[in-house]
Amino acid sequence: MTTTTPPRTAPDAELAARLKELACAEIDRQAERIVAVSDDIMRHPETGYRETRTADVVAEQFRAMGLEPATGLARTGVKARMHGRTSGPTAAVLGELDGLLIPGHPHGDPETDAAHACGHNAQIASMIGAGLGLQAVMDQLDGDVVLFAVPAEECVEVQWRLDLVDTGEIHHTAGKAELIRRGEFEDVDMALLTHAAASSPALGVGGDGNGSLVKRVRFTGKSAHAGSTPWMGVSSYKAATVAISAIDAHREFFKDEDNVRVHHLITRSGDSVSAIPARTEMEMLIRARSIEAMRDASERVDRALRAGALAMGADVEITTAVAFLPFSSDAPLAELAYANGCELVGEDECKSVSGNFGGSTDMGDLGHVMPVVQPFSACGTDGAPHGPEYFTSDHHAAAVLPAKMMAMTVVDLLVDGAAQAHRVIEESGPKLDREAFVALHDSLSGTRRHAAPTGKD
Ligand SMILES: [Zn+2]
Ligand SMILES: [Zn+2]
């Protein structure tokens, strides 16, 4: 953590330019290796908290760089530290380890359906690439760099993750929140991560993302012969469909500016079609732009779920957990990243983005405890992200170029007494400490059980 006194002078621009040149030249020299990592991980996708092979690839790369990685952090995270010439603020460059579940993806795993349809393979490669570039200049920087491969960003296999929460294996469904709780970001002052986007522009910086909640919903009814004695049963499936109708009735009452999205899957319903289904399970994702809107939408959905159960006389158990807190890049960090992007590709190909991009990320969680920036880069294809046509077809655009932008930004932060890093910390405003962060999550999470009415009142 920060140990030096902020210098009063502006950073030495000439020195910064020279170090950026050195770092970028090293990244160019290592381009083939960076591309190979991105391509290899793309072809061996794994989902969150199960990214063991991917973590091994990262650890191997770190060791080849002469670093000593810590492994198994929040199950699969891998982290290594590079020391500057003096102690000072620590800037982290992140990459996410996980893929999605997309059946039929051209580079997916046919056994598990895991696929890199969000480009996280390129993030890992750009994180390693930035590290390779920065290694060439660490002896002239006044602070440390942490390279961190983090697990479980995508919101998939929610029920399995909530089962892990039930058994105490994890406390948070998303990787960065879990790492924050475990103290793995206590030795970091700010974080950068570049996410792949569409085929153009080459680079972009800015925009904000929704927060989101997940729910595991279990309706319990009563099984009975579906043909001869259906009246003796209680359909958990019908309870779910009534609940879904009630949720749909709410959609026009969400405020436009809250950007609320409510999605659900029925992940299980009954055990045989000849019987009234006694057990129906749903998985839900609720997105909204602010924590207040997340709370409001969650309460509306819970009422709708209870209405479905009440209508049919079923029980319902609702488990809610924060998937992600709302995201926005910190302006002082974003300005540095944007200037470096423009230097690399020109203003026409480096966009300053504003507005909400609709999606969610656990960079939002990290942004509640430290300054963060998440620029984006081109990936080479124009398929819909999270779809079967989305993958990295241009690894240079998705991994090598962002490696340079992040390395250049870290140079800006840590050069010449780390003046810019100190400014970023000061200007980004107050953040939550670890305890307050976990308390915020917990205030939005929990399990509630609602029994079927007895009919006596
Ligand atoms: Zn994604
Ligand atoms: Zn992603």
Side-chain angles (χ1 to χ4, degrees):
M1 298 294 281
T2 310
T3 55
T4 55
T5 311
R8 294 177 196 287
T9 53
D12 181 339
E14 210 173 290
L15 175 63
R18 191 156 49 78
L19 298 185
K20 287 180 192 180
E21 212 170 289
L22 275 172
C24 287
E26 182 60 20
I27 290 167
D28 277 332
R29 214 174 63 75
Q30 302 275 1
E32 215 170 292
R33 174 176 173 183
I34 298 164
V35 166
V37 169
S38 180
D39 191 68
D40 174 58
I41 294 174
M42 180 176 77
R43 292 170 198 282
H44 297 89
E46 297 169 303
T47 53
Y49 289 132
R50 304 186 200 258
E51 315 96 323
T52 50
R53 181 193 181 276
T54 315
D56 287 346
V57 169
V58 174
E60 204 179 296
Q61 288 290 331
F62 284 171
R63 288 192 193 103
M65 292 165 72
L67 305 175
E68 293 171 11
T71 59
L73 309 175
R75 287 174 69 95
T76 50
V78 187
K79 173 179 165 185
R81 178 171 287 266
M82 305 195 299
H83 295 280
R85 67 177 178 178
T86 59
S87 63
T90 294
V93 179
L94 310 184
E96 291 160 350
L97 289 158
D98 60 329
L100 289 145
L101 290 172
I102 309 286
H105 190 280
H107 302 297
D109 181 328
E111 304 244 309
T112 64
D113 287 334
H116 275 295
C118 203
H120 295 187
N121 54 298
Q123 290 182 22
I124 294 291
S126 68
M127 176 267 293
I128 289 167
L132 288 165
L134 287 165
Q135 265 195 318
V137 299
M138 285 309 297
D139 61 355
Q140 296 178 72
L141 296 181
D142 295 310
D144 287 358
V145 173
V146 156
L147 304 178
F148 206 161
V150 295
E153 190 274 339
E154 297 290 359
C155 193
V156 300
E157 299 178 304
V158 168
Q159 300 194 58
W160 175 69
R161 289 194 199 171
L162 288 173
D163 290 346
L164 293 180
V165 172
D166 286 347
T167 59
E169 173 108 10
I170 55 174
H171 187 73
H172 299 285
T173 57
K176 293 186 196 70
E178 185 65 15
L179 288 165
I180 291 167
R181 186 184 70 87
R182 294 185 188 209
E184 292 297 342
F185 279 106
E186 291 288 290
D187 58 355
V188 170
D189 294 294
M190 61 199 67
L192 303 85
L193 175 151
T194 304
H195 199 293
S199 63
S200 70
L203 297 168
V205 184
D208 53 79
N210 287 325
S212 55
L213 296 160
V214 289
K215 286 184 189 288
R216 177 186 64 198
V217 184
R218 291 173 170 159
F219 290 100
T220 306
K222 193 175 167 199
S223 193
H225 195 294
S228 63
T229 55
W231 49 85
M232 295 178 76
V234 174
S235 174
S236 60
Y237 173 73
K238 290 291 185 189
T241 59
V242 172
I244 290 164
S245 294
I247 290 165
D248 287 340
H250 274 284
R251 293 188 195 276
E252 68 180 281
F253 301 101
F254 295 125
K255 289 182 195 160
D256 293 350
E257 64 267 29
D258 286 345
N259 226 20
V260 176
R261 301 276 187 280
V262 181
H263 296 109
H264 67 265
L265 298 172
I266 291 181
T267 50
R268 172 189 188 142
S269 186
D271 299 289
S272 91
V273 77
S274 60
I276 301 298
R279 291 183 294 183
T280 295
E281 295 184 1
M282 290 170 61
E283 194 170 296
M284 306 195 69
L285 181 58
I286 300 168
R287 303 177 197 262
R289 199 165 190 171
S290 68
I291 288 167
E292 298 69 43
M294 287 162 70
R295 272 190 217 284
D296 176 66
S298 180
E299 280 165 20
R300 286 171 184 266
V301 166
D302 283 2
R303 288 204 302 273
L305 293 167
R306 291 176 67 185
L310 180 66
M312 298 311 298
D315 297 344
V316 63
E317 178 194 278
I318 308 165
T319 299
T320 305
V322 176
F324 309 120
L325 295 178
F327 166 78
S328 62
S329 286
D330 275 275
L333 255 186
E335 281 161 23
L336 291 176
Y338 177 70
N340 286 311
C342 289
E343 199 178 321
L344 281 167
V345 296
E347 277 183 35
D348 286 349
E349 279 299 317
C350 183
K351 297 286 180 208
S352 176
V353 183
S354 59
N356 185 284
F357 53 74
S360 312
T361 167
D362 59 2
M363 280 301 274
D365 294 79
L366 202 54
H368 279 72
V369 299
M370 68 179 62
V372 296
V373 64
Q374 181 178 285
F376 58 87
S377 66
C379 74
T381 45
D382 270 326
H386 290 200
E389 285 151 15
Y390 190 88
F391 55 89
T392 311
S393 63
D394 184 341
H395 297 284
H396 275 270
V400 178
L401 188 61
K404 290 183 189 174
M405 178 168 60
M406 290 194 288
M408 290 166 77
T409 305
V410 171
V411 168
D412 278 331
L413 290 167
L414 300 183
V415 74
D416 195 14
Q420 296 282 27
H422 287 292
R423 183 178 69 86
V424 163
I425 292 166
E426 201 179 305
E427 291 183 9
S428 70
K431 300 286 179 182
L432 300 178
D433 65 20
R434 188 159 46 135
E435 289 71 27
F437 171 82
V438 174
L440 174 60
H441 262 249
D442 288 350
S443 75
L444 289 153
S445 308
T447 296
R448 291 186 200 162
R449 293 178 188 84
H450 305 280
T454 58
K456 288 177 187 157
D457 50 9

